[in-house]
């Protein structure tokens, strides 16, 4: 893709829903446009592997929303992310097919005091019911409060009914977001981000008498974080005789949004702030060389067989201070000899990872823009296209194709049940017309006010398993905010289940 100017900083607005799922990273602008190649064909590539060879792998993103929470239960992964006006849940037997799972809306609310700006849902099983914790307001950010739902049956996907507002007596009507549940010694504690003497968004912990009742005052935790403004999204791990509290710091719009950690012995009182020991420095933070910015707001889940630990989190592919373009990713983490978690570094979007242990597999495979593929199929081009490697970590395999010539086409052939098209969104991008198997065209806008790498541009309907084609046609048109009509092609993800 051609270079684009750096956009102005967006105002703070945590609600902004991501309409894209990002794969690559922004590390620089692309070089000048190369001379177009007429009727370009894919470069020579290695013999494609069979689709079964990819059955044990997956690639991020898992979802186009931020603030993820996920668990594996009775053969399925369950995921929630911030959606703004409702709570949606995605369910899939394999991590590899979660990105194309159909969402279930598990909660909407008609109460005007709490039906706006619904953020950061998390769900826990206590007894034979599930409790879903979330924050919402009436349209005013400072009116965010914490609430909990209770399931009607033993199913994380509900249905749910409203159970209670969660408010410690000493913060009865104060700003509060990002509930996380601490479980110690058979007791429950509400951990959340809210007003305290340290931050407007600071870590607080309050006792609970049951999953929906706060039974005492909250205590403030003076948590370090590298930036002064935010401590949010507390989550907990239990290992080596200690409880590890991780949390996100810095404003979530910043590229420096990151994860820090405190811990204390399992038999200590979490309501005594002095019992918490601060671990210095971030434990999970930006990786510019991999194009990962602002990794944070996370949760933890076990592999299906219970042998591995995984972190699910959101991050961006742009270093611009913005609340959009945060997408959900996952990766495995390990443990150090002293019992502390080792999260490593966030992986580049699109990096191929092994599925969690015990995952039945998805059969997913990729087709790169240059014709390389990990399964059956490829891509051919018609008309004038440009290609190059200037997008670096912003693109899958560090290359892409792009064109603004009306009538230019890129046609993917694949064998499976569904295909997703991923590529760069940019300030100079326009409309493409996308069709499957020669059917009706769907108009897709490749423009974005901030240049971002590897967005999900299009996901096909579910198809009968077999051989299919996906055609992308450049229209030469663009919306009123765009400066040009480029369409980019980078990667297709093919699904066989």
């Amino acid at each position: 893709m051609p270079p684009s100017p750096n956009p102005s900083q967006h105002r703070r607005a945590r609600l902004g829903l991501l309409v894209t799922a990002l794969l690559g990273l922004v590390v620089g602008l692309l070089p000048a446009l190369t001379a177009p190649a007429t009727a370009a064909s894919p470069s020579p590539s290695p013999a494609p592997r069979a689709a079964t060879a990819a059955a044990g792998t997956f690639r991020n993103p898992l979802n186009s929303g931020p603030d993820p929470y996920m668990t594996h239960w009775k053969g399925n992964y369950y995921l929630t992310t911030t959606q703004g006006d409702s709570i949606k849940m995605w369910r899939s037997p394999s991590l590899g097919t979660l990105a194309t799972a159909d969402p279930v809306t598990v909660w909407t609310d008609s109460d005007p005091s709490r039906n706006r700006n619904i953020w950061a849902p998390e769900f826990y099983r206590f007894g034979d019911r599930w409790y879903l914790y979330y924050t919402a307001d009436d349209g005013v950010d400072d009116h965010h409060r914490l609430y909990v739902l209770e399931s009607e049956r033993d199913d994380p996907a509900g249905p749910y009914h409203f159970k209670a507002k969660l408010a410690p007596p000493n913060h009865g009507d104060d700003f509060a977001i990002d509930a996380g549940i601490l479980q110690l010694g058979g007791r429950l504690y509400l951990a959340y981000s809210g007003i305290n003497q340290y931050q407007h968004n600071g870590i607080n912990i309050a006792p609970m008498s049951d999953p929906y009742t706060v039974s005492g005052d909250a205590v403030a935790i003076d948590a370090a974080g590298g930036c002064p403004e935010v401590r949010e999204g507390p989550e907990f791990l239990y290992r080596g005789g200690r409880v590890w509290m991780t949390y996100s710091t810095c404003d979530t719009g910043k590229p420096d949004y990151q994860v820090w950690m405190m811990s204390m012995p399992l038999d200590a009182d979490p309501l005594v702030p002095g019992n918490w020991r601060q671990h210095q420095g971030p434990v999970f933070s930006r990786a510019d060389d991999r194009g990962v910015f602002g990794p944070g707001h996370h949760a933890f889940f076990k592999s299906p067989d219970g042998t591995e630990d995984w972190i699910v989190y959101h991050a961006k592919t742009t270093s611009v201070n913005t609340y959009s373009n945060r997408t959900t990713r996952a990766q495995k983490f390990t443990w150090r000899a002293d019992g502390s978690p080792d999260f490593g570094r966030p992986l580049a979007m699109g990096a191929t990872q092994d599925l969690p242990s015990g995952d039945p597999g998805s059969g997913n495979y990729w087709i790169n823009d240059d014709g390389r593929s990990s399964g059956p199929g490829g891509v051919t081009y018609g008309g004038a296209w440009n290609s190059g490697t200037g997008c670096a970590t912003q693109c899958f395999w560090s290359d892409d194709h792009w064109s603004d010539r009306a009538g230019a086409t890129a046609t993917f052939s694949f064998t499976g049940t569904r295909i997703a098209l991923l590529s760069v969104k940019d300030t100079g991008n326009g409309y493409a017309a996308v069709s499957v198997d020669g059917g009706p065209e769907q108009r897709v806008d490749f423009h974005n006010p901030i240049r971002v790498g590897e967005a999900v541009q299009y996901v096909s309907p579910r198809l009968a398993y077999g051989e299919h084609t996906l055609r992308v046609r450049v229209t030469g048109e663009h919306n009123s905010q765009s400066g040009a009509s480029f369409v980019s092609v980078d990667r297709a993800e093919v699904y066989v289940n």
Side-chain angles (χ1 to χ4, degrees):
M1 294 295 298
S4 59
N6 188 35
S8 61
Q9 176 176 320
H10 279 37
R11 65 180 179 84
R12 193 186 194 290
R14 272 200 69 182
L15 171 62
L17 298 182
L18 295 174
V19 292
T20 61
L22 311 175
L23 173 77
L25 312 167
V26 178
V27 177
L29 302 176
L30 292 176
L33 195 65
T34 60
T38 303
S41 59
S43 305
S45 59
R49 292 176 284 164
T52 53
T57 62
F58 79 100
R59 284 153 295 282
N60 287 315
L62 302 181
N63 189 271
S64 61
D67 305 333
Y69 187 85
M70 186 156 64
T71 193
H72 186 273
W73 188 73
K74 288 192 173 180
N76 281 294
Y77 299 90
Y78 291 83
L79 169 71
T80 55
T81 62
T82 288
Q83 298 296 301
D85 60 351
S86 63
I87 298 175
K88 289 182 171 63
M89 188 171 288
W90 288 261
R91 174 175 52 199
S92 174
S94 174
L95 206 62
T97 52
L98 194 57
T100 55
D102 295 320
V104 175
T105 299
V106 299
W107 182 249
T108 57
D109 202 329
S110 59
D111 188 326
S113 70
R114 58 171 193 254
N115 65 357
R116 304 278 298 278
N117 300 333
I118 300 172
W119 295 347
E122 299 194 358
F123 49 99
Y124 300 78
R125 185 173 184 260
F126 299 115
D128 61 355
R129 292 293 182 267
W130 291 81
Y131 294 87
L132 198 157
Y133 301 84
Y134 66 101
T135 179
D137 66 23
D138 58 1
V140 178
D141 186 15
D142 269 346
H143 295 173
H144 267 104
R145 304 291 182 265
L146 296 175
Y147 304 98
V148 60
L149 311 174
E150 183 182 62
S151 68
E152 301 285 347
R153 57 177 183 259
D154 193 1
D155 187 342
Y160 286 91
H161 61 265
F162 184 81
K163 191 65 175 180
K165 178 181 178 180
L166 298 173
N170 60 333
H171 292 292
D173 200 26
D174 289 339
F175 173 87
I177 61 172
D178 293 358
I181 303 301
L182 169 62
Q183 305 175 58
L184 281 178
R187 298 193 63 185
L188 302 179
Y189 300 86
L190 174 69
Y192 66 96
S193 178
I195 292 173
N196 63 29
Q197 62 264 44
Y198 305 113
Q199 287 93 23
H200 181 279
N201 293 34
I203 300 296
N204 299 295
I205 302 177
M208 303 180 77
S209 57
D210 56 45
Y212 48 85
T213 306
V214 177
S215 57
D217 287 346
V219 299
I221 307 297
D222 187 9
C227 299
E229 66 271 19
V230 170
R231 310 288 183 266
E232 62 186 15
E235 296 293 331
F236 300 95
L237 291 165
Y238 310 86
R239 178 106 167 192
R242 301 185 71 82
V243 54
W244 308 89
M245 177 172 68
T246 55
Y247 54 93
S248 299
T249 76
C250 301
D251 189 285
T252 189
K254 290 182 175 180
D256 288 317
Y257 192 60
Q258 58 193 250
V259 179
W260 284 56
M261 183 169 69
M262 304 180 81
S263 70
M264 72 169 199
L266 287 173
D267 57 359
D269 185 351
L271 300 177
V272 176
N275 287 340
W276 290 98
R277 186 185 78 188
Q278 182 71 57
H279 292 250
Q280 296 303 313
V283 294
F284 200 59
S285 58
R286 62 189 285 176
D288 293 38
D289 59 322
R290 296 175 174 179
V292 182
F293 301 93
H297 202 111
H298 58 287
F300 306 111
F301 66 97
K302 286 280 191 180
S303 61
D305 65 4
T307 64
E308 296 174 348
D309 292 290
W310 287 69
I311 182 172
V312 60
Y313 62 98
H314 78 233
K316 301 180 295 186
T317 60
T318 175
S319 60
V320 173
N321 189 335
T322 176
Y323 300 95
S324 63
N325 307 120
R326 297 172 293 167
T327 58
T328 290
R329 306 115 184 264
Q331 64 188 69
K332 186 171 68 172
F333 69 92
T334 58
W335 297 87
R336 297 186 176 89
D338 65 358
S340 64
D342 183 358
F343 300 112
R345 302 177 69 228
L347 297 173
M349 284 291 275
T352 295
Q353 302 180 61
D354 290 337
L355 286 165
S357 182
D359 189 300
S362 63
N364 292 17
Y365 65 94
W366 50 262
I367 302 173
N368 191 43
D369 69 287
D370 66 356
R372 285 178 289 176
S373 175
S374 63
V379 59
T380 58
Y381 296 89
W385 286 83
N386 309 278
S387 63
T389 59
C391 54
T393 55
Q394 193 174 9
C395 293
F396 189 64
W397 287 105
S398 302
D399 59 5
D400 68 345
H401 278 64
W402 64 95
S403 177
D404 64 348
R405 306 301 177 89
T409 60
T411 303
F412 287 88
S413 60
F414 65 98
T415 301
T417 59
R418 210 168 194 187
I419 188 169
L421 178 68
L422 299 94
S423 64
V424 171
K425 283 182 175 284
D426 204 353
T427 56
N429 282 7
Y431 294 112
V434 181
S435 59
V436 175
D437 294 337
E441 291 184 330
Q442 178 178 328
R443 193 176 178 88
V444 179
D445 193 352
F446 281 52
H447 172 262
N448 199 65
I450 296 174
R451 181 193 174 99
V452 293
E454 277 316 272
V456 174
Q457 306 281 17
Y458 172 82
V459 179
S460 75
R462 295 185 186 277
L463 308 166
Y465 178 81
E467 296 181 358
H468 300 280
T469 60
L470 171 77
R471 190 182 78 158
V472 181
R473 179 176 64 84
V474 180
T475 67
E477 300 171 338
H478 59 83
N479 68 39
S480 59
Q481 285 75 48
S482 181
S485 301
F486 287 96
V487 169
S488 61
V489 173
D490 188 12
R491 168 169 74 94
E493 188 78 11
V494 179
Y495 302 84
V496 302
N497 293 337

